[in-house]
Structure formats: C-alpha cells, structure tokens
Amino acid sequence: MKIIPKNRQAGSAGAPMAAKLVKSAGELKKVPVRLKLRFEDAAEYVPENLMDKFVIRGGNPLLGNIRVSGAKNAALPAMAAAILTEEPLILENIPDVRDIQTERNLLVSMGAEVELGYGRAHHRTTISCRDLANPEAAYELVKTMRASTLVLGPLVARMGRARVSLPGGCAIGARPIDLHIKGLEQLGATIRQEHGYIEASAERLRGGHIVFDKITVTGTEDLMMAAALADGETVMENCAREPEVVDLAVLLNKMGAKIEGAGTSTIRIKGVSRLGGARHRIIPDRIEAGTFVIAAALTGGDLSINNCEPRHLSALLEKLQECGVTVTTTRDSVRVKNGHRLKAADLSTEEYPGFPTDMQAQYMALATQAEGTSIITENIFENRFMHAQELLRMGANIKVEGSRAIVRGHTPLSGAAVQCSDLRASASLVIAALVAEGETILDRVYHIDRGYERIEEKLRGANGQIRRIGEILPRRAAQVPVGVA
Ligand code: UD1
C-alpha cells in the first residue's frame, strides 16, 4: 500500500486520507482503513500545498467558538520518544499538520511502524520502533524541520549510534545545535560532524552533569530522552521550563523513566535499563490558542477558544489585559471580548513563563492597531521580524532596529499581496488580513500548514472570511473564435 496524498481534502495540510474506495454491489463506497506507513511511502511523500494561497477579506469580527488542536511542539518530542522502546507508543491528540507528517516519515524511514487512527480517532498515532534498521535522519526528510534533531538523543541511547542531518527549519536566524552535542558528549557519546551530518555513538550512555549555557527547549527534551536510558543519574541545570518539556517528562515517566523536576530549571533523571510502551494524550497547543486569542481581540470579536490550557497562556493574557482587552477563563477555555480601541503596550520575548517568541509576530499585528507606540523586543531569536516588512506593505508603521521593533499605531491596514516567510510570521499576516480593508492574498501558506491544523476552516467557522485556493493560472489573452465579432 502506498500513501501518497493525492486525495487531499480541501484545506488539509496534505494528510494521507484514512479511507479507501471499494466496489460493493456495483457501487463505489468509501470505507475507513488502518493506515500503516512504510519505508517507501516516506521516500515518496511529496508536499502538495506548495502553490496554495489564502484569500482573506477583512472586516468581520471573530465570533462563536474555536477548538484548539494538540500541541505540535509537544507531539514532536513525544513521537521521538517512541525510539526509546521496543513496545508501541499510543499518542492521542496529535495535530494534523505538516511537521507531524515529516516526523512520521522520518520515523518510518528508520524502520518504525506507524499506524494512523481513522474516523473519530484520526488524531491518534501508534508508533512501534521494534526494529530500527536505519538510525539515520536524512537531509531530504529533515531539511524543513529543525525539530528533527530530537531523534539524536533517543537514537544514541537505544541504538548506540545515530546519523542526523544538520537541521533546516524556520528561517529565523542562526539556529545551532551545539548545546545538544555538548550535552550528549557529557553523557559519554562520541560526536563527529561530516558532510552536513552529525554522527554520534556510544556503547552505553552514562549519567552526567549538564549545565546549559543557554536555555534550549528541544535541547532539554533531546537530552532528557537520552539520559532516561543512560547508566546512572543525570542532573541538568538551566533547563527550559516550557509546558511541552513537562508533557514529555510525563510521557517518559509513564514509559518507566525516573524523571523529577521537569517544569523547573533543574531536572534529575535516574537512568533505567529499558523503557516500555504507553498511552498518552498530548497537551493543547498554547501557541495556536494564543493566535486565536489575538485574532479575536484585534477583530473586536467575542470568541471562546475551547479545549485549551489557559494556565499556559498567562503571559499573553496579562499583556492583552494591559492592552484593554477583556479576557475570562475557565478550566479549559478562554473567552475574548473586545468592543473598544486597543492600547499600546511594550513587549519582550522570554523563555517560559515569559512571553513566548512564537507569539511575537501575532502580537505585532495587534500592536499595529493599538493606540500609541509599542516597543517589541525579540530576545530569543535573531532575524525574527520578517513579518514586519509584509505588515508595512499593508499600511503598518513599523521601524526595526536590531532586536527591537517600534510599532506606531493605529494606522489603517489595507489588503495586499503578501508572502509568508516562516510559521509564526504567516499567522501574523493572517491576523492582520482579518482587519485589513479589502482583500489580502497570502502566498506560500505551506509555512502555516507546518504548524496550524486547517486554520482557514477554523477561522471560517468563527465568522472569518478566508479561503484556500490552489495554483492560480496565469492570465491569458482570450481566444476569440474566427467569425465572431
Ligand atoms: C523550540 C520550539 C520553537 C520555539 C523555540 C523557543 C519546538 C519544536 N520548537 O525551538 O517553536 O520558537 O523553542 O521557544 O519545540 N540555541 C543554541 N544552541 C543550541 C540550541 C539552541 O545556541 O544547541 C539557541 C537558539 O539559536 C535560540 C535559543 O537557543 O537562540 C533558543 O532556541 P531553542 O529553545 O533551542 O529553540 P528550539 O528548541 O529549536
């Protein structure tokens, strides 16, 4: 069985459909099937949304309800954790986005068996890494996704060796992986770099003391997975405290690991000799939720963002209250109501629990419509203001000075042809387009498909005017038939 996503549903990010056509009593019927991805499927997987665009007409407030998907950034390390055990891992609430498909293909290319749920269970993925014949993450599969580095630690821990291409990913400045490498060396791995690949080996990792020079989210996750199967105890200091790190620790502990302190800056891991299978539900995506929160505030809507974890959104919600937005929360939802002008407020991105860098671009769209001047400082990544150029084209007043952007509001935005440059920049342009006068055509939406599950369908369900279109044919002169005046 080959899974090539020819039958992509409109608006999907290219997911293989979990259904097949069968002939029964002379009629073609669609029936659900269990899909198992295989090695050759991974090699043949071709993204089909390269030419997709969004057409967005601004002016509608977002109203009603929107449901948040599982967190891509928690799902990616959880899937990599499957490498640590011979037993199956059953993961629920996996979002249907391009990065997850890339990771599935990556695991399959190594020899993993990946089974996709269908029907109501289509957000379930079962991964079995019983035989991993090929502990390699090839460039072709990982060039679009930096998070592929997450397989490095688990591969060395379980297989004793790994060959992983240096990552690509979002075009948001230099994104080294030196801290992953340094940490693995601390655990006794030998590392070589050749032909754009990292080669790591260790007969058996041993516990060690790792102090991160800089806080790194995937670095913390990668080494936590490696240390879970090392001999002896590992202490990691200056760790990332993001909810996704905690979610991974919860999963690893269900698998039999002995991890304490996840969510604080010191994590202690007592290595065990083997890990087993587990079932785990991925936490809701706080960045997707936050994107809808900002969109609702900006469009002057009244929107309930459901199935989310408001605790994980504290920094954003506090900032929005400073901007004059009314926000109420329940255990698993946020309601945003905004009928009046927004006030400007300065912002600095920080590691969790600070304001997330992954929400900075969306906040900038909001700041263009706030009364006064907002100074936005990006502290995590260099070169993460590419959305500013496109927002300028829509009528915003933004001046970028190094790691600071000075946004003067409130200037009217008008629809224009704009381009996505990275995942979160794309989200900021969608949000801006929802309040711009007229129509915006957003190109290269494959960036947004990396991390947002059918964003256009969700927004349309909440009164947004947004549509996905495929390749637009070039305009041609009309052929007038001979004899027709
Ligand atoms: C993760 C998130 C990403 C988010 C980022 C920061 C995933 C899959 N991705 O990315 O969405 O924007 O956290 O919250 O979870 N650094 C080094 N050396 C390293 C590793 C990182 O210098 O070895 C630097 C980076 O260049 C960056 C900073 O540390 O300046 C933070 O990066 P990091 O937390 O590692 O980001 P990711 O884990 O890649």
Side-chain angles (χ1 to χ4, degrees):
M1 176 176 56
K2 298 258 189 287
I3 301 163
I4 304 166
K6 289 246 163 65
N7 300 334
R8 185 163 58 89
Q9 289 163 316
S12 87
M17 282 175 64
K20 70 174 177 181
L21 289 173
V22 291
K23 210 164 189 182
S24 138
E27 264 182 57
L28 276 180
K29 281 197 179 145
K30 209 188 260 183
V31 296
V33 289
R34 280 179 170 268
L35 291 188
K36 274 196 179 172
L37 298 179
R38 295 188 326 196
F39 180 72
E40 61 268 35
D41 303 324
E44 287 188 39
Y45 192 85
V46 183
E48 279 205 346
N49 61 344
L50 281 179
M51 303 305 291
D52 285 5
K53 300 180 199 305
F54 283 163
V55 183
I56 303 168
R57 180 166 288 281
N60 280 16
L62 292 186
L63 302 170
N65 296 287
I66 254 180
R67 191 181 161 80
V68 174
S69 298
K72 163 185 90 78
N73 285 355
L76 292 172
M79 291 168 76
I83 294 172
L84 293 165
T85 173
E86 293 176 359
E87 295 176 14
L89 208 57
I90 303 167
L91 299 172
E92 314 268 4
N93 206 26
I94 296 276
D96 183 10
V97 298
R98 172 84 54 209
D99 275 7
I100 295 295
Q101 291 158 19
T102 305
E103 175 124 348
R104 276 204 292 251
N105 291 333
L106 178 59
L107 292 170
V108 167
S109 75
M110 293 174 186
E113 277 184 27
V114 178
E115 200 173 287
L116 310 182
Y118 58 89
R120 284 167 67 90
H122 74 282
H123 286 114
R124 180 195 303 148
T125 296
T126 305
I127 305 168
S128 166
C129 292
R130 206 178 38 217
D131 308 306
L132 284 182
N134 179 36
E136 170 167 331
Y139 177 67
E140 286 66 33
L141 276 169
V142 304
K143 64 184 173 193
T144 58
M145 192 180 72
R146 175 184 159 80
S148 54
T149 327
L150 282 165
V151 301
L152 185 59
L155 279 177
V156 195
R158 159 102 187 273
M159 311 292 293
R161 65 198 168 97
R163 189 167 183 267
V164 175
S165 166
L166 285 164
C170 280
I172 50 176
R175 298 183 74 175
I177 59 162
D178 55 315
L179 302 175
H180 299 236
I181 292 168
K182 211 169 134 190
L184 276 177
E185 280 174 340
Q186 217 86 49
L187 299 180
T190 307
I191 312 270
R192 285 194 319 160
Q193 186 183 328
E194 244 177 33
H195 309 298
Y197 280 76
I198 297 288
E199 292 186 4
S201 58
E203 221 155 83
R204 180 130 171 91
L205 294 174
R206 50 176 156 69
H209 188 193
I210 298 168
V211 183
F212 290 104
D213 298 337
K214 198 171 180 180
I215 297 176
T216 159
V217 178
T218 47
T220 303
E221 293 163 346
D222 198 11
L223 295 168
M224 190 161 76
M225 289 189 275
L229 274 187
D231 264 339
E233 191 179 34
T234 299
V235 178
M236 304 201 302
E237 289 185 63
N238 201 25
C239 296
R241 293 182 282 161
E242 267 67 1
E244 293 77 17
V245 173
V246 178
D247 198 41
L248 176 64
V250 170
L251 166 65
L252 292 170
N253 283 342
K254 282 184 192 168
M255 293 166 69
K258 294 198 162 57
I259 301 172
E260 277 176 17
T264 73
S265 46
T266 304
I267 301 180
R268 285 173 194 279
I269 305 148
K270 284 199 181 100
V272 295
S273 56
R274 71 174 289 281
L275 293 169
R279 180 186 278 265
H280 183 68
R281 187 173 176 80
I282 301 295
I283 54 170
D285 195 316
R286 64 193 166 100
I287 306 300
E288 189 200 16
T291 302
F292 293 137
V293 166
I294 288 193
L298 187 58
T299 58
D302 182 355
L303 186 70
S304 287
I305 295 107
N306 299 332
N307 192 40
C308 66
E309 188 65 78
R311 279 183 307 136
H312 296 163
L313 297 168
S314 302
L316 169 68
L317 300 184
E318 277 164 29
K319 186 55 67 182
L320 287 185
Q321 274 160 353
E322 209 180 315
C323 296
V325 180
T326 310
V327 180
T328 46
T329 59
T330 68
R331 192 181 49 82
D332 64 353
S333 74
V334 178
R335 182 170 175 190
V336 183
K337 228 174 147 176
N338 189 33
H340 40 262
R341 279 280 166 90
L342 295 156
K343 288 183 285 190
D346 295 346
L347 175 87
S348 284
T349 60
E350 282 162 26
E351 293 89 359
Y352 192 85
F355 193 98
T357 172
D358 283 353
M359 288 298 308
Q360 175 261 108
Q362 301 87 317
Y363 182 80
M364 189 182 284
L366 179 122
T368 67
Q369 301 307 295
E371 215 60 74
T373 299
S374 312
I375 298 178
I376 299 177
T377 310
E378 172 55 58
N379 292 312
I380 309 296
F381 291 113
E382 56 191 69
N383 197 20
R384 203 176 197 181
F385 284 139
M386 279 175 298
H387 42 284
Q389 295 306 320
E390 301 300 290
L391 291 172
L392 277 173
R393 301 188 57 246
M394 295 175 75
N397 181 345
I398 304 169
K399 201 165 158 208
V400 174
E401 292 175 348
S403 63
R404 285 191 339 157
I406 300 149
V407 186
R408 294 203 166 79
H410 144 267
T411 53
L413 298 181
S414 59
V418 288
Q419 264 191 20
C420 302
S421 54
D422 66 64
L423 174 56
R424 306 304 172 187
S426 323
S428 113
L429 298 177
V430 169
I431 293 173
L434 289 173
V435 287
E437 193 268 316
E439 205 169 79
T440 295
I441 308 241
L442 192 62
D443 202 357
R444 302 192 181 175
V445 301
Y446 56 86
H447 284 293
I448 210 161
D449 289 335
R450 283 188 48 205
Y452 287 87
E453 182 170 312
R454 299 187 177 89
I455 190 171
E456 74 282 19
E457 288 178 18
K458 291 192 183 188
L459 289 172
R460 230 180 13 246
N463 199 38
Q465 292 202 73
I466 171 168
R467 196 167 291 283
R468 179 186 293 259
I469 49 174
E471 182 180 6
I472 299 176
L473 294 174
R475 205 181 279 273
R476 264 205 235 138
Q479 300 278 315
V480 182
V482 183
V484 176

